[in-house]
Amino acid sequence: MARYSEIPITKTLNNNIRNEGMNYYTQNKYPIIPFQSSDIYIATEFGDRLDNLANQFYGDITKYWIIAIANPNQISLGSLIPPVGAQLRIPININSIMAAYDALNSE
């Protein structure tokens, strides 16, 4: 369960959904990723996966969500596999994206 280690746990405040006081993981919020002149574009090939592309471009497989959010019309919700031959936008300058992500999820 290490992938959930950074997701905050909170308690329910009432009995509307589950019993009051039960623990649950909060949902992550993701920023809008604006177009930048430093973005690059790739054509996907058979076997490409978002986590592998994130490792290739960012050195971190957990940043696959950046590529997914930057390409909402190409990536199916909940999928790590883009369609073969799709043109994907890869944001290269991710410092501002990560700062926006941290700001949204620090509440």
Side-chain angles (χ1 to χ4, degrees), residues 40-49 53 56-57 71 74 82-90:
I40 63 171
Y41 294 84
I42 64 164
T44 59
E45 298 175 350
F46 180 79
D48 280 343
R49 290 171 40 118
L53 292 171
Q56 178 182 346
F57 290 100
N71 297 281
Q74 297 289 342
V84 174
Q87 182 179 7
L88 296 184
R89 176 171 69 108
I90 309 289

Side-chain angles (χ1 to χ4, degrees), residues 62-103:
T62 64
K63 292 189 173 56
Y64 70 90
W65 60 267
I66 294 172
I67 300 170
I69 290 174
N71 297 281
N73 296 328
Q74 297 289 342
I75 308 296
S76 300
L77 186 62
S79 177
L80 288 175
I81 303 172
V84 174
Q87 182 179 7
L88 296 184
R89 176 171 69 108
I90 309 289
I92 295 301
N93 183 5
I94 63 169
N95 293 335
S96 61
I97 297 168
M98 294 307 299
Y101 174 85
D102 290 341

